[in-house]
Amino acid sequence: MTALSDPALDLARIRAALDALLPAWLPGRRWYAGKGAGSPPDVTTRLLDVVLPGDPALLVAVFDAGADGPYQALLGVRRDPVPPSAEPLIGRLEGPDGSGVFLYEATQDPELMGALLARIAAGGRTGPLCFEPAPGVELPVGTPGVASTAEQSNTSVAFAERAMLKVLRRPVPGDNPELELLTALRRAGGVPSAAPLAQVRTSASSAVGARTLALLQQFVRSRGDGWTIAVDRARACMAGECETVEPHGGFAAEAYALGLATARVHTALAEQLGSRPLTRPESEDLLDLLADRLAQGLRTVPQLAPYARALWAMQDDLREIVGRGGAPHVQRIHGDLHLGQALRGDQGWILVDFEGEPGRSPEQRRRPQPALRDVAAMLRSFDYAAHHALSAVLDRPPGDSGPHDPRAVRMARRASAWAVHNRRAYCTGYADGGGQDPRCAPVLLRCFEADKAVYEAVYESRNRPEWLPIPLSAVRRLAQWRRSSAPVDGTSGQPA
Ligand SMILES: Nc1ncnc2c1ncn2[C@@H]1O[C@H](COP(=O)(O)OP(=O)(O)O)[C@@H](O)[C@H]1O
Ligand SMILES: O=P(O)(O)O[C@H]1O[C@H](CO)[C@@H](O[C@H]2O[C@H](CO)[C@@H](O)[C@H](O)[C@H]2O)[C@H](O)[C@H]1O
């Protein structure tokens, strides 16, 4: 392993200090999945190598936290006071001569991130770390790297609005699913997606085998992401005194364009990486996967219990469809599509974050899936946006209907209408863009929406319990729809 140039810094001591300091620091990190586990985890850190040995120094480490891991930490080490953006510190390490160094989250240090970009551009290896720029790309070396403040599963660092480094917090073994998909979309051409620029990975012989640690991609300049724009428009719709959701809350043209963009991405992925009917064993795998997720959801979120029968019945519907030969085609899909994963560029929407659902195994993420699962996930997002806007306008937490007042009832109706209107526009865009009209497969769509809502309930109960009422209300609605004998027209089961 590369030594630190400062002899007062001893790597073995840094490693031991991290084992002691990380348990207290981790629970404040959004990307840490073990929040709410009760007691702090036991941490075992492995330093992979020193990428930059100076002051500040940059170290790459992986660590296990309890049974969970490996996670990735990019560690800054400096004598000088740390940049304010890098607070809170992981900790301070006393040197033998009474001096000390600060240990901190390196992604929050623009200077250090700039130095890392230069290291990536140079290519080659440092110990087990491989720096692999794509052939012929020009990287914005010399610019500082500014970390996004958005709450994320990973940590993104932007360089002069030209490149974006995604530091993967839970690097998975083997080829990185996002890199695979971005490369395929580039190959297809004409699909609005970010070009992959480089990766940092570990070699097969490293302590963690071959894994992508960070992915550099083209920075997409945008007016904002779909979530911010949609919530804004939905809020305008609710706050305005209009009876219809257009024009004040007008988002339908954007929802339509988003449907088009989703269909274009699906078509390109199918062309590049294949699309075929689901085989019988794959159908069983899919059903098992959905059943496992539902069982886990019911164990984790007690509030789902009243809907258990209806949720299982929706899975039986899928089994029945597969049984009579109606299994959908499968292909590589986005895997975690929602409004926040779409950026509004000048020419239209660009989908980002093709990593798949956080928390799923690498095999599951790479498995071909019905494209309708992405569509169902995006449709859920319109529901989220409407609820979020509603709670902002009413100044109440999601799901809190508060005292019965006519204004709140009117707003809730408008929120519901906004979601229905935009879900329809999205489906129309998807069909016009060459995808199968999602409304032609309402029972499948309902099953996939319910699956996503259960996933969201688990996600919210772990990360943002105050948001839990949003997926719960969707589960309630979908369950009611399943229990009733209402005609299946694909637009029922909307926000009530
Ligand atoms: N290529 C890109 N260019 C500009 N911004 C991006 C790009 N990719 C992602 N983003 C922004 O960063 C946010 C987080 O990125 P994402 O890939 O979704 O990370 P995570 O996996 O941590 O959720 C996105 O919601 C988007 O706003
Ligand atoms: O971190 P990721 O973007 O990969 O995805 C996770 O976090 C998302 C929240 O940031 C979560 O999305 C859920 O909340 C969104 C609103 O914040 C909403 O638009 C989505 O429809 C809803 O699923 C996502 O599920 C989770 O995997």
Side-chain angles (χ1 to χ4, degrees):
M1 181 179 302
T2 318
L4 284 168
S5 54
D6 187 336
L9 299 180
D10 166 353
L11 290 172
R13 285 186 63 226
I14 291 182
R15 202 197 55 70
L18 286 171
D19 285 356
L21 293 167
L22 288 178
W25 181 76
L26 277 176
R29 310 303 107 202
R30 151 85 198 271
W31 44 264
Y32 174 56
K35 290 188 286 288
S39 48
D42 282 335
V43 167
T44 315
T45 309
R46 279 167 288 181
L47 292 178
L48 291 181
D49 218 323
V50 179
V51 176
L52 305 165
D55 178 14
L58 175 65
L59 277 63
V60 178
V62 289
F63 62 90
D64 293 321
D68 223 11
Y71 288 92
Q72 177 179 196
L74 283 191
L75 200 66
V77 183
R78 29 163 117 215
R79 286 186 177 279
D80 289 339
V82 170
S85 52
E87 301 284 356
L89 294 173
I90 298 175
R92 190 178 140 86
L93 190 60
E94 297 304 326
D97 54 356
S99 66
V101 289
F102 297 101
L103 303 180
Y104 63 100
E105 167 63 49
T107 58
Q108 306 299 317
D109 181 341
E111 176 196 351
L112 209 45
M113 287 299 99
L116 174 60
L117 182 66
R119 178 65 196 85
I120 293 173
R125 283 179 68 155
T126 299
L129 303 172
C130 310
F131 298 88
E132 298 178 344
V137 297
E138 227 183 87
L139 303 183
V141 172
T143 57
V146 180
S148 154
T149 51
E151 291 263 297
Q152 290 174 238
S153 313
N154 296 296
T155 304
S156 300
V157 180
F159 297 90
E161 294 205 334
R162 286 178 55 200
M164 209 193 76
L165 184 70
K166 182 150 136 184
V167 177
L168 301 169
R169 292 305 182 167
R170 305 187 76 181
V172 298
D175 293 335
N176 176 264
E178 180 161 24
L179 183 57
E180 280 178 84
L181 298 189
L182 290 183
T183 307
L185 291 172
R186 252 317 92 167
R187 234 182 6 244
V191 183
S193 59
L197 301 178
Q199 70 165 326
V200 180
R201 64 172 183 87
T202 45
S203 65
S205 57
S206 79
V208 289
R211 294 175 193 244
T212 297
L213 297 180
L215 183 61
L216 189 74
Q217 54 185 273
Q218 177 196 356
F219 184 93
V220 176
R221 292 200 185 112
S222 73
R223 303 176 204 160
D225 67 34
W227 172 255
T228 316
I229 300 173
V231 169
D232 235 47
R233 302 279 178 89
R235 207 185 284 143
C237 164
M238 271 151 256
E241 282 307 309
C242 54
E243 272 317 308
T244 60
V245 293
E246 303 277 345
H248 297 293
F251 187 70
E254 297 294 359
Y256 176 87
L258 198 48
L260 281 180
T262 310
R264 285 173 72 190
V265 163
H266 281 163
T267 305
L269 290 178
E271 277 167 12
Q272 293 295 317
L273 302 171
S275 159
R276 54 182 174 70
L278 198 64
T279 63
R280 174 76 48 182
E282 283 173 337
S283 308
E284 287 305 321
D285 277 356
L286 176 61
L287 286 160
D288 287 351
L289 174 86
L290 295 180
D292 284 351
R293 278 158 68 99
L294 178 51
Q296 194 222 351
L298 292 168
R299 275 195 307 273
T300 315
V301 185
Q303 294 91 326
L304 287 171
Y307 315 109
R309 258 179 92 152
L311 287 165
W312 286 118
M314 288 182 228
Q315 297 207 354
D316 291 344
D317 293 342
L318 174 60
R319 188 174 293 278
E320 210 246 327
I321 292 174
V322 168
R324 59 180 152 81
H329 272 52
V330 287
Q331 61 163 99
R332 293 294 295 272
I333 63 170
H334 181 284
D336 188 23
L337 202 54
H338 55 81
L339 283 162
Q341 314 282 39
L343 299 176
R344 183 62 168 87
D346 285 340
Q347 309 296 319
W349 292 99
I350 295 162
L351 304 188
V352 294
D353 195 9
F354 284 79
E355 234 199 314
E357 245 170 27
R360 298 186 75 195
S361 72
E363 297 72 43
Q364 284 170 347
R365 291 180 196 205
R366 289 197 198 96
R367 208 174 280 171
Q369 302 277 329
L372 198 60
R373 290 193 81 184
D374 272 352
V375 171
M378 184 60 98
L379 292 177
R380 290 282 317 115
S381 211
F382 288 107
D383 179 35
Y384 257 80
H387 271 91
H388 189 69
L390 178 65
S391 80
V393 168
L394 296 180
D395 196 19
R396 287 183 197 147
D400 176 358
S401 49
H404 184 81
D405 79 83
R407 178 173 172 268
V409 172
R410 218 170 47 239
M411 295 297 145
R413 268 205 213 108
R414 210 170 278 163
S416 169
W418 186 92
V420 172
H421 189 63
N422 287 294
R423 286 165 56 105
R424 285 187 179 140
Y426 177 78
C427 289
T428 305
Y430 187 78
D432 288 354
Q436 193 208 358
D437 191 327
R439 290 162 295 193
C440 295
V443 176
L444 271 183
L445 187 61
R446 178 173 65 191
C447 175
F448 292 148
E449 267 203 76
D451 167 68
K452 190 70 192 183
V454 169
Y455 164 87
E456 290 167 344
V458 173
Y459 176 86
E460 302 302 2
S461 71
R462 289 192 175 140
N463 293 285
R464 310 181 291 197
E466 69 285 6
W467 290 52
L468 179 59
I470 300 181
L472 282 183
S473 74
V475 169
R476 190 186 62 235
R477 218 165 41 239
L478 292 163
Q480 262 165 12
W481 177 25
R482 176 61 180 73
R483 281 194 216 104
S484 74
S485 50
V488 174
D489 69 356
T491 55
S492 325
Q494 305 296 316

